[in-house]
Amino acid sequence: NFCDDDGSLPTVELDQLNPESVGKLYRFIRERGHCVSESPTVWDDKEQSDVPLMSLGDPCAWLHQGRIDSFHCCFGGISKGDTSIPDLGIFVFKDCVQIDFRMGREWNPTNVDAFFRLLADLKALAPEARIKSAESEGLMDEASFLRALRLYSGEDGRTIA
């Protein structure tokens, strides 16, 4: 159920990623949307200062070099075909990418379909990814979510090698 906003941020996790795939997934989202977070920054361990996230050409390279830690940014304007997907939060770690979203009235069957097609695209970009509910704030009904996702990818996110 995407339509009832209970205040949570259900989160889908693509884990078991190699560094190249982490970068591919982040760039895929960034190229298809625009940052809607208010001035997101990351801490640059080398310079000991905050750096605007969107000023970094390749923040995933900095992440894997240990120059910055994991980072989060919300993206809007992402669409699949002619269908706009509500804002998505992207949390990038060294070996996984988490996608969170706010449930509510802006979701409908058409953009839920577009969201699942986006997830299938991300899985195709990173075939080693295992898709699951994030441990921090996961999905309300992970089993149903993964069953639905299987219709788009033909695979169960939990058992993908």
Side-chain angles (χ1 to χ4, degrees), residues 11-12 14 39 45 59 75 88-89 93 95 97 105 108 125 127 142:
T11 304
V12 178
L14 292 91
S39 306
D45 284 334
F75 288 91
L88 300 175
F93 298 89
D95 63 351
V97 173
R105 284 188 229 122
N108 60 55
L125 282 172
E142 181 181 32

Side-chain angles (χ1 to χ4, degrees), residues 123 127 129 146-147 149-161:
K123 174 63 177 142
L146 292 174
R147 258 193 317 279
L149 182 58
R150 200 174 12 221
L151 298 173
Y152 293 84
S153 65
E155 303 178 52
D156 179 349
R158 276 225 175 261
T159 60
I160 295 169

